[in-house]
Amino acid sequence: MSLYDKTAHELHELLTTKKISAAELTADIFNHVDAVEDKIGAYLTITRDKATAHAKLIDEKISRGEKISALEGIPCAIKDNICTKGIKTTCASKILENFVPPYDATVYKKLSSSILIGKANMDEFAMGSSTENSAYHTTHNPHDLERVPGGSSGGSTAAVAGGEAIFSLGSDTGGSIRQPASFCGVVGFKPTYGRVSRYGLVAFASSLDQIGPITRDVTDCALVLNAICGHDEMDSTSTAAPVPDFTKSLIADVKGLKIGLPKEYFVKGIDPEIETAVRNVAKKYEQLGAEIIELSLPHTEYAIATYYIIAPAEAATNLERYDGVSYGARVDGADVVEMMTNTRTEKFGAEVKRRIMIGNYALSAGYYDAYYLKALKVRTLIQKDFIDAFENVDLILTPTTPNAAFKIGEMTADPLKMYLQDICTVPVNLAGLPGVSIPCGVTKNNLPIGFQLIGKALDEATIIKAAFTYENTL
Ligand code: GLN
């Protein structure tokens, strides 16, 4: 029996009924990693010894008759911008090549009973949509090795889609969980801003970043959300709002639910195959008793421009700490200024430097009002679009991405084209809302398509319910 392609809830059942052991499960995953990792390249670090020792402890616990929790013993991957004590955390950057965090991110602590298989590849500092901006290697899409898995959580997503982990954690600043999930045919959930602690997540754009699960089905997604959500005194932006048990929302029922279709997301530029697939999802929901309501989010067209001012501005500030002194690599120079210049010149990749330059430009005296301040105002308008829309609907349904997975190298020459990958996902981050990408079929080239469900702030539960309902129809 192969185990690497099962879901966490199936494996939990097998573990608790002693049909398999955690050691067998871990060995099965590593066998599969050994067979496919050369081709997929999901990982930057593989934690085999630690995983094997951990599995043994869990088996001892099970044989003592002790209960194990839902994700205990389940193999997982963690994006390499989430701090893991004693295990390298590089953000796929040369500047953090040898950085070993002295502490755990809160999310990793909360998942400490799951078995860590490794740290997943990503775009450097989570800047990108293809994983091609990793300073180490490009990850390949398990559905078509010539194509990107999406990004920036491309390693986390390819690991789950390619059988190298049962579930994973990614981070999503403008779409980095949902876009790769749609490219790889898995479930990717970005929770409400503040729902999950960012303590120990290496900051890219602090007002947008959020950690979330990448899983094979909606049930696993609910389980991981249960494990990672909640207030954390180490992150003052994490919300004190109570966290519901998301498994209670695993109910196939959308009767009476109002689902909005925003006209701005069904326009030229969206691949017709994607549009058709997503419209079919709407039809399916209608057949199942939901009410589909056409609506407008009028400021959508400004979202990319707004995001690509705010995110780089915050990134420029956050990345100031990589100065050759506080963290990571140092390249010597004649004096301190030259040392810092050499370090940053040599150790940051091209996209990171581009963002730092755009960000500092947008924040500089004389341009601050024209760019940064204006972007903040437009962000408020985008937030208001959603608040108005949610007066009339419970959820909003859109494509996750304008196209299916593209070929490796196809977009690298044109950063602006790459930025347009985020057109359907960034508004959700700007508004701080929860959103998920759920698989809904394949293109004629057999590439996965995903649709996005956006919910009201803190209403992840309704998203889970609608996503579960759709999954059940398949
Ligand atoms: N692709 C977007 C960017 O490059 C989003 C990245 C993310 O969500 N981390 O900024």
Side-chain angles (χ1 to χ4, degrees), residues 79 81 122-130 133 151-153 171-180 190 204-205 208-210 304 307-308 311-312 351 355 418-422 425-426 429:
K79 189 175 181 178
N81 59 352
M122 55 186 281
D123 288 296
E124 185 176 4
F125 284 105
M127 297 171 188
S129 302
S130 66
N133 294 336
S152 64
S153 311
S171 67
D172 190 314
T173 305
S176 279
I177 290 174
R178 292 160 287 157
Q179 184 256 17
K190 182 202 95 74
F204 161 12
L208 301 162
D209 299 340
Q210 192 63 192
I304 287 279
Y307 172 84
Y308 277 100
E351 183 60 30
R355 306 273 178 122
M418 192 72 94
Y419 295 173
L420 286 172
Q421 286 299 310
D422 306 322
T425 47
V426 286
N429 300 74

Side-chain angles (χ1 to χ4, degrees), residues 178-180 182-183 270 274 399-404 421 423-425 450:
R178 292 160 287 157
Q179 184 256 17
S182 95
F183 278 15
I270 305 289
I274 307 266
T400 308
T401 55
N403 43 262
Q421 286 299 310
I423 198 145
C424 304
T425 47

Side-chain angles (χ1 to χ4, degrees), residues 115-445:
I115 294 182
L116 181 70
I117 301 300
K119 301 297 296 288
N121 196 23
M122 55 186 281
D123 288 296
E124 185 176 4
F125 284 105
M127 297 171 188
S129 302
S130 66
T131 321
E132 291 164 295
N133 294 336
S134 167
Y136 300 98
H137 59 259
T138 296
T139 299
H140 298 250
N141 190 319
H143 292 270
D144 178 346
L145 295 171
E146 282 176 20
R147 292 179 189 265
V148 303
S152 64
S153 311
S156 299
T157 314
V160 174
E164 297 190 77
I166 304 301
F167 75 91
S168 67
L169 291 185
S171 67
D172 190 314
T173 305
S176 279
I177 290 174
R178 292 160 287 157
Q179 184 256 17
S182 95
F183 278 15
C184 292
V186 294
V187 174
F189 202 114
K190 182 202 95 74
T192 307
Y193 183 80
R195 204 35 136 173
V196 176
S197 169
R198 289 181 297 111
Y199 180 70
L201 170 68
V202 179
F204 161 12
S206 309
S207 78
L208 301 162
D209 299 340
Q210 192 63 192
I211 296 169
I214 295 158
T215 58
R216 294 197 178 135
D217 70 0
V218 178
T219 301
D220 279 6
C221 179
L223 292 170
V224 182
L225 284 174
N226 274 359
I228 64 173
C229 288
H231 179 67
D232 177 13
E233 61 178 23
M234 300 303 282
D235 173 5
S236 60
T237 65
S238 74
T239 171
V243 182
D245 175 356
F246 293 110
T247 61
K248 295 238 161 74
S249 301
L250 298 169
I251 309 163
D253 178 16
V254 288
K255 269 184 224 80
L257 206 68
K258 292 191 177 128
I259 301 179
L261 279 188
K263 63 170 196 256
E264 290 80 3
Y265 287 70
F266 297 89
V267 290
K268 213 172 100 247
I270 305 289
D271 184 323
E273 273 192 281
I274 307 266
E275 168 156 5
T276 307
V278 177
R279 288 206 184 270
N280 285 339
V281 173
K283 272 188 212 140
K284 177 66 83 187
Y285 276 129
E286 203 160 28
Q287 285 161 10
L288 294 167
E291 188 183 341
I292 301 294
I293 299 171
E294 305 258 347
L295 54 83
S296 170
L297 297 165
H299 296 92
T300 303
E301 65 172 301
Y302 306 111
I304 287 279
T306 305
Y307 172 84
Y308 277 100
I309 292 185
I310 292 175
E314 294 185 18
T317 312
N318 277 325
L319 269 55
E320 267 171 28
R321 71 192 64 167
Y322 306 103
D323 54 8
V325 180
S326 324
Y327 298 90
R330 168 183 296 191
V331 179
D332 283 332
D335 54 27
V336 75
V337 173
E338 204 183 287
M339 180 279 288
M340 287 181 182
T341 309
N342 291 347
T343 302
R344 291 169 68 86
T345 305
E346 248 180 66
K347 299 293 180 182
F348 281 140
E351 183 60 30
V352 174
K353 284 183 212 167
R354 186 177 297 121
R355 306 273 178 122
I356 291 174
M357 285 190 280
I358 294 171
N360 281 323
Y361 184 83
L363 289 173
S364 56
Y367 296 109
Y368 182 95
D369 290 3
Y371 293 108
Y372 184 66
L373 198 63
K374 183 167 276 166
L376 290 183
K377 289 177 183 168
V378 181
R379 180 179 189 172
T380 305
L381 294 174
I382 291 168
Q383 282 165 341
K384 199 172 163 296
D385 280 356
F386 281 106
I387 292 171
D388 293 346
F390 280 125
E391 295 273 313
N392 303 313
V393 297
D394 304 299
L395 290 172
I396 293 173
L397 168 63
T398 75
T400 308
T401 55
N403 43 262
F406 47 91
K407 288 232 164 91
I408 291 172
E410 196 180 324
M411 302 258 189
T412 39
D414 186 351
L416 280 181
K417 227 168 143 187
M418 192 72 94
Y419 295 173
L420 286 172
Q421 286 299 310
D422 306 322
I423 198 145
C424 304
T425 47
V426 286
V428 181
N429 300 74
L430 289 167
L433 299 173
V436 73
S437 180
I438 302 289
C440 62
V442 290
T443 65
K444 53 182 181 309
N445 294 331

